[in-house]
Amino acid sequence: MLWQSIVRAFELMGENDPLLNEIIATTMKMAFTSSALALLIGVPFGILIGISKFPGKKIVITVLHACMALPSVVVGLTLYILFSGTGAIYSVRLMVVAQVVLIAPVTAGMAESYVTALSPWLTETAKGLRLKKPKVLFLAVNESKYQFIVIYLMAFARSISEVGAVQIVGGNILHETRVMTTAIALNYNMGQFRYAVALGIILLLIALGVNTVATIIQHKLK
Amino acid sequence: MLTIENLKKRYGERTVLDIERLEFEDGKRYALLGANGSGKSTLLKILAGTERASEGRTVFPDGVKTAFMPQHAVGFKLSAENNLRIVCNDKALIAAALKEFDLGTLKSKNAAKLSGGETQRLALARTLLVPFTLLLLDEPTAAMDLNSAQAACDAIKRAVTDSIATLVFATHSLPQAVRLADFLIFMDGGVIAEVMSSECPLTDVKDVRAQAFLKSIIG
Ligand SMILES: Nc1ncnc2c1ncn2[C@@H]1O[C@H](COP(=O)(O)OP(=O)(O)OP(=O)(O)O)[C@@H](O)[C@H]1O
Ligand SMILES: [Mg+2]
């Protein structure tokens, strides 16, 4: 059964199936956009919290940590209620919004804990030089680019494999919002296990490919 | 004038700094002297605002601009030259600083990979490029060889004179303190033992704790 699925997966890839290509393209578009946005929003926010001292900092961090574990169906449902009846529902754009809501807290939390664990001397020195926040932010990121590649990979992996929220706000519409995870769920529901597993294997290969590229970049950076 | 009143710093149950009153006159230079753990760094960090006092207050002169170099010198993961560029855009000033601190041959080197003394030279050069009216230096030459320390001392003196700034620095070198400072502040167990002019002979020290400290370093 598994072996047959693996064979089917490679057959599928060899067939250059237009539907499959379309699903992969939609998935990649969604995953790259949402992980990039989550990184751009979450990382500066996390670093700023990490390098700043302000009253209520502990509360903010506690809330942030809680948001790292937001259940994706809850996020999906909330957005669904907010946007149902508008033109935004069942669009890739709203799927990206849902994923950013899910992933940005994770990137922010990781960036915050990284900066806090970073030598306290860096922030003390920067403060002693009266550097403005954007420069401290730059120095913090610059101190370990490797760390931020790992954060990005986390974000991308979470985005590409998430199913609950994108199913609800995307609706798994053929030719529009169908992505790999929702396609897998659909095929499974229809009893087409072999196709579902084949899609799963392709998803795994994509994840592996992205990770390999990132590893190569990492080595180049060192 | 920079004034400290009833300042206390506690870490947990322990009080590591307890200063009733201390004044720093504008444009004067002060050396903090005292054994390990006597509270020099803690006082400098509170003045720099990187550490908060548990009690008491610090009154700064109007429009004060502080530059602070912590005890542990840090080279940012950039070239030595870019470490200076991050605080200053003026190419001529940067070139002069590289020359003054003998960093010319190291300017393209990753600052995270400099030796301890080189890092300290770079950190001091960087701090002196920041516009300041209050300069706080925590053992700025402790890791340097004698020649470098001498040159660094001259650079500090020149920078402070040029900016008409107040200088407060910690040091374990009595000759350096006397050479660079107008006043010596002896600290012991978080307390100010004595403040005296650096022009007075050291035999004038009255406080027994300060006397004991001097004895321990000169014999
Ligand atoms: N973050 C901290 N937590 C707990 N105790 C601290 C902390 N920082 C400093 N101390 C304590 O406060 C006391 C004063 O430390 P401080 O660093 O001010 O001494 P110092 O005079 O600068 O010594 P040195 O000559 O070794 O640099 C020390 O006993 C130290 O153990
Ligand atoms: Mg110290």
Side-chain angles (χ1 to χ4, degrees):
Chain A
M1 168 83 184
L2 186 65
W3 175 245
Q4 286 167 338
S5 304
I6 294 171
V7 174
R8 180 80 189 103
F10 282 95
E11 275 173 15
L12 257 178
M13 284 186 277
E15 281 164 17
N16 201 14
D17 177 40
L19 179 61
L20 180 68
N21 289 345
E22 188 185 284
I23 293 176
I24 292 177
T26 311
T27 308
M28 297 307 258
K29 193 171 119 191
M30 176 197 68
F32 276 120
T33 317
S34 52
S35 52
L37 282 176
L39 199 78
L40 285 176
I41 298 168
V43 164
F45 182 74
I47 294 180
L48 276 181
I49 291 178
I51 60 177
S52 312
K53 277 185 187 167
F54 56 93
K57 176 169 172 170
K58 279 203 182 113
I59 300 170
V60 173
I61 291 178
T62 310
V63 172
L64 181 61
H65 286 173
C67 289
M68 287 172 82
L70 279 179
S72 56
V73 280
V74 173
V75 170
L77 268 177
T78 310
L79 287 172
Y80 181 84
I81 294 167
L82 285 175
F83 288 96
S84 65
T86 73
I89 200 72
Y90 301 144
S91 65
V92 173
R93 208 178 295 166
L94 195 60
M95 287 156 75
V96 169
V97 172
Q99 297 219 321
V100 171
V101 173
L102 280 172
I103 305 167
V106 181
T107 59
M110 287 177 84
E112 186 274 326
S113 67
Y114 157 72
V115 170
T116 306
L118 198 70
S119 112
W121 298 310
L122 183 97
T123 40
E124 191 182 41
T125 302
K127 207 166 177 187
L129 298 169
R130 296 207 315 275
L131 293 183
K132 298 253 166 18
K133 288 264 155 82
K135 278 190 179 171
V136 186
L137 215 137
F138 160 75
L139 287 175
V141 174
N142 181 60
E143 208 58 27
S144 175
K145 298 186 194 87
Y146 165 79
Q147 195 49 243
F148 291 91
I149 292 176
V150 173
I151 295 179
Y152 178 74
L153 283 180
M154 262 293 302
F156 184 81
R158 179 119 198 238
S159 174
I160 203 174
S161 60
E162 198 279 323
V163 58
V166 294
Q167 174 77 53
I168 297 174
V169 303
N172 193 24
I173 299 171
L174 188 62
H175 303 313
E176 284 182 34
T177 60
R178 182 161 300 171
V179 287
M180 303 202 68
T181 52
T182 54
I184 291 171
L186 178 71
N187 280 288
Y188 162 79
N189 284 336
M190 299 194 317
Q192 297 181 354
F193 293 109
R194 218 184 278 176
Y195 195 78
V197 175
L199 277 174
I201 290 169
I202 297 174
L203 188 59
L204 269 175
L205 288 176
I206 293 174
L208 200 70
V210 172
N211 273 287
T212 310
V213 170
T215 311
I216 294 167
I217 297 173
Q218 266 172 37
H219 281 289
K220 287 244 165 86
L221 278 180
K222 275 183 186 167
Chain B
M1 178 119 79
L2 164 58
T3 315
I4 291 173
E5 282 167 11
N6 298 315
L7 187 80
K8 283 195 174 68
K9 177 67 184 178
R10 279 184 289 269
Y11 284 117
E13 296 283 279
R14 235 179 107 219
T15 303
V16 300
L17 203 59
D18 185 349
I19 302 175
E20 224 170 84
R21 191 175 173 83
L22 189 59
E23 289 174 351
F24 300 93
E25 268 181 70
D26 292 348
K28 296 280 188 230
R29 304 193 289 254
Y30 298 83
L32 301 174
L33 290 157
N36 291 145
S38 57
K40 304 180 296 293
S41 295
T42 308
L43 175 56
L44 285 169
K45 284 185 219 169
I46 290 174
L47 289 176
T50 60
E51 199 66 69
R52 211 174 288 197
S54 312
E55 253 178 59
R57 58 184 206 139
T58 314
V59 185
F60 290 95
D62 284 341
V64 69
K65 278 197 206 142
T66 310
F68 166 53
M69 176 179 164
Q71 183 163 3
H72 183 98
V74 173
F76 300 133
K77 219 173 174 182
L78 304 164
S79 72
E81 192 173 13
N82 282 341
N83 264 265
L84 303 182
R85 207 171 274 169
I86 203 146
V87 296
C88 172
N89 292 321
D90 189 323
K91 283 202 175 127
L93 284 178
I94 289 176
L98 286 170
K99 188 159 178 247
E100 184 161 37
F101 285 90
D102 196 17
L103 293 163
T105 52
L106 300 170
K107 71 178 180 187
S108 308
K109 200 170 164 183
N110 179 352
K113 291 182 178 160
L114 295 174
S115 77
E118 288 166 351
T119 306
Q120 203 168 38
R121 264 151 53 199
L122 178 66
L124 182 57
R126 194 174 55 197
T127 310
L128 296 184
L129 282 173
V130 177
F132 56 77
T133 59
L134 173 63
L135 181 62
L136 307 168
L137 304 173
D138 198 347
E139 300 191 27
T141 66
M144 294 183 200
D145 62 54
L146 282 177
N147 281 334
S148 304
Q150 198 86 352
C153 246
D154 294 340
I156 294 170
K157 201 165 191 167
R158 185 198 43 71
V160 171
T161 313
D162 286 355
S163 319
I164 326 174
T166 310
L167 169 69
V168 185
F169 68 103
T171 183
H172 286 291
S173 156
L174 193 60
Q176 182 178 71
V178 172
R179 217 161 71 89
L180 202 52
D182 302 305
F183 295 96
L184 310 180
I185 300 176
F186 292 95
M187 296 186 70
D188 184 86
V191 170
I192 305 297
E194 183 157 349
V195 182
M196 67 176 261
S197 160
S198 64
E199 275 159 21
C200 297
L202 291 169
T203 46
D204 278 10
V205 171
K206 290 178 198 71
D207 184 272
V208 285
R209 292 162 300 186
Q211 282 171 354
F213 171 72
L214 280 176
K215 208 164 166 205
S216 74
I217 56 172
I218 353 183

